[in-house]
Amino acid sequence: MDKYGLIGYPLGHSFSITYFNEKFQAENINAQYVNFEIPRIEDFIEVVAENPNLCGLNVTTPYKEKIIPYLDELDKDTAKIGAVNVIKIIRLPKGKVKLVGYNSDIIGFSQSIEPLLQPHHKKALLLGTGGASKAVFHGLANLGVESTYVSRTKRSDDVLTYQELTPEVMEQHTIIVNCTPVGMYPKVDFCPDIPYELLTPRHLLYDLLYNPNETLFMKKGRAQGATVKNGLEMLLLQAFAAWEIWQR
């Protein structure tokens, strides 16, 4: 039986294990999906060594960037992003293994946001600077949108702080993507600290979160007439993309 799985820490909130095992059952695929909750990235080598029928892995927090030194190859977009969330495990002769890293977040996000884009959506603000925001940055670049990161602390000249979100900045950047965990269940009464009163019906707010279904970030955007969307479709599309990668 083929095996697939997820590495990360902690894994209590994992969507993938339910999604893939239901898929395998529904489609009569002789495979199983398991969670590998590893407290240290160094434990990754053992996971691969101890599971000879392992064909592919998803990667989640906090290992999307830390996993890269352990891989043999990255696909082109993934190398640009510097974050991996899918690993294809290729078994070679004499027990050798080739590990190839991909990023299905970029595929899922791009496919999810593209139908919402209007001609005036030229610039985006990305809230957060982690692995997910890097996938969003490159996904939007592929769609012709220029992005700027927003962080709580000043990291460099090309990263804005929340205090620097002036009326002019908010008017120019009509896409705002929340790539942070702020507002995720159970802390649903929180939202990123942007000037919501400057939002207009020209704005598109996309939250990578999907629990709750409508975050406070989205509610405040909707109240200003903005278009809002959560990350559930992206989650499903990146899972489809992961399966396609493993089957190539």
Side-chain angles (χ1 to χ4, degrees):
M1 181 188 284
D2 288 342
K3 190 184 282 188
Y4 300 87
L6 173 68
I7 61 164
Y9 190 84
L11 292 180
H13 59 278
S14 165
F15 153 86
S16 300
I17 191 166
T18 305
Y19 169 80
F20 280 108
N21 282 325
E22 285 179 355
K23 174 186 176 68
F24 297 155
Q25 192 172 358
E27 299 177 24
N28 287 320
I29 297 167
N30 186 28
Q32 67 169 154
Y33 192 101
V34 296
N35 280 349
F36 297 101
E37 192 170 57
I38 55 172
R40 306 175 315 134
I41 189 63
E42 291 82 3
D43 300 332
F44 167 69
I45 299 299
E46 282 176 37
V47 169
V48 176
E50 292 172 5
N51 295 276
N53 56 341
L54 194 60
C55 303
L57 286 166
N58 289 119
V59 184
T60 189
T61 309
Y63 300 135
K64 289 186 180 185
E65 292 155 290
K66 292 176 184 171
I67 195 70
I68 291 174
Y70 294 84
L71 305 178
D72 299 300
E73 196 178 299
L74 298 178
D75 96 309
K76 189 168 86 294
D77 266 337
T78 306
K80 286 185 204 163
I81 295 164
V84 166
N85 76 324
V86 178
I87 300 170
K88 182 172 184 178
I89 300 171
I90 303 166
R91 304 284 172 178
L92 302 170
K94 297 181 181 176
K96 291 193 173 175
V97 175
K98 183 179 180 184
L99 304 172
V100 185
Y102 296 86
N103 193 304
S104 67
D105 283 339
I106 188 175
I107 302 166
F109 175 77
S110 301
Q111 291 176 346
S112 178
I113 199 169
E114 188 172 19
L116 302 175
L117 296 180
Q118 303 290 333
H120 66 269
H121 288 139
K122 301 287 187 202
K123 290 186 174 184
L125 296 174
L126 310 187
L127 312 181
T129 55
S133 67
K134 290 173 184 171
V136 168
F137 183 97
H138 289 283
L140 286 172
N142 290 347
L143 295 170
V145 176
E146 179 189 324
S147 298
T148 301
Y149 292 110
V150 181
S151 175
R152 285 176 296 182
T153 53
K154 191 70 177 172
R155 293 161 180 257
S156 63
D157 289 342
D158 55 357
V159 175
L160 294 174
T161 64
Y162 287 91
Q163 289 71 39
E164 293 174 312
L165 300 182
T166 62
E168 186 184 19
V169 169
M170 294 296 288
E171 186 182 359
Q172 288 176 354
H173 297 77
T174 49
I175 302 171
I176 303 175
V177 186
N178 179 31
C179 309
T180 78
V182 177
M184 186 166 69
Y185 179 84
K187 297 185 178 179
V188 297
D189 296 329
F190 293 84
C191 59
D193 188 19
I194 65 169
Y196 292 93
E197 70 279 4
L198 298 176
L199 296 175
T200 69
R202 289 168 61 83
H203 281 87
L204 164 60
L205 269 61
Y206 193 111
D207 202 328
L208 299 194
L209 303 177
Y210 53 89
N211 183 12
N213 191 43
E214 186 175 62
T215 59
L216 188 56
F217 170 75
M218 292 167 62
K219 282 180 186 166
K220 289 190 164 196
R222 194 192 294 279
Q224 297 292 119
T227 301
V228 300
K229 183 160 187 164
N230 73 14
L232 184 59
E233 185 185 48
M234 172 185 168
L235 189 73
L236 291 167
L237 290 169
Q238 68 83 19
F240 297 161
W243 182 246
E244 286 176 5
I245 288 164
W246 292 330
Q247 297 311 297
R248 282 179 197 160

